[in-house]
Amino acid sequence: MPDSSSFPLNKHSSGPSSNAPQPHRCNEHLEDLLVGFSSWPMDVAKPFSVFWQCLQSKPGQEPPRYSQQKKTPSQS
């Protein structure tokens, strides 16, 4: 059996990292999409579009978050 010190499981790291895991930069956009799935009537087309734009964007150039515009009786 090979010596575990000469066979690292992750060849890109030299030891334990002190950095805490960070959420993906589009995580909040994904949460907006999941909220759309759990609401009635389902609202997924626009949140998915914004989430997809975020995935395709460069870091720091993410689109603004989607916010569902709920109509109140006074807006009708």
Side-chain angles (χ1 to χ4, degrees):
M1 180 159 204
D3 182 18
S4 63
S5 63
S6 65
F7 185 71
L9 294 176
N10 183 354
K11 62 184 177 183
H12 299 289
S13 98
S14 59
S17 174
S18 61
N19 298 338
Q22 298 295 319
H24 191 273
R25 61 190 176 86
C26 296
N27 188 54
E28 292 177 340
H29 292 77
L30 176 60
E31 289 177 11
D32 294 339
L33 176 61
L34 295 175
V35 166
F37 276 117
S38 64
S39 63
W40 189 257
M42 277 195 212
D43 182 21
V44 295
K46 183 63 177 170
F48 179 79
S49 174
V50 175
F51 174 63
W52 187 251
Q53 289 173 7
C54 183
L55 290 176
Q56 294 177 328
S57 68
K58 294 181 181 179
Q61 297 179 352
E62 294 85 5
R65 287 185 66 183
Y66 172 77
S67 61
Q68 183 178 17
Q69 302 294 326
K70 294 186 177 185
K71 288 188 174 182
T72 59
S74 62
Q75 291 178 334
S76 298

